[in-house]
Amino acid sequence: MVYCSNCGEQISDDAYFCPKCGTKTAKGTEANVKTSSEELRDAFYKVGIELERAFTIAAKETHAAFQRARADMQQKPAEQHEPMTCPNCGTKNAFGSIFCNNCGKRLSPLEESHGA
Ligand SMILES: [Zn+2]
Ligand SMILES: [Zn+2]
């Protein structure tokens, strides 16, 4: 017979827990028996770690996504989408226009370098 360390109840030698108060006996500790509350706590702990990891990854990804979005906005040069002003008549033509829609002059600078 052993005695419960908590309540002093007499417990049989092969008992893992005190039948009176539920305290784990030395044998129970030795056998590494888990009480239901300990198992629950362990389960929650593991789930907590997984959740924390998932949240950390999600937070990092969200942060990275925001940074990428911000970098994209900063990298987009405004002049790429600015209207193309005709050097001949000054008419603003839509971005990507090759010829002025007012006077028909070629807007591409390549035309000038070729000298044609
Ligand atoms: Zn006890
Ligand atoms: Zn023009």
Side-chain angles (χ1 to χ4, degrees), residues 3-11 17-25:
Y3 294 93
C4 174
S5 59
N6 182 52
C7 68
E9 179 79 0
Q10 277 197 351
I11 315 168
F17 299 97
C18 168
K20 190 179 176 187
C21 72
T23 295
K24 198 189 280 186
T25 64

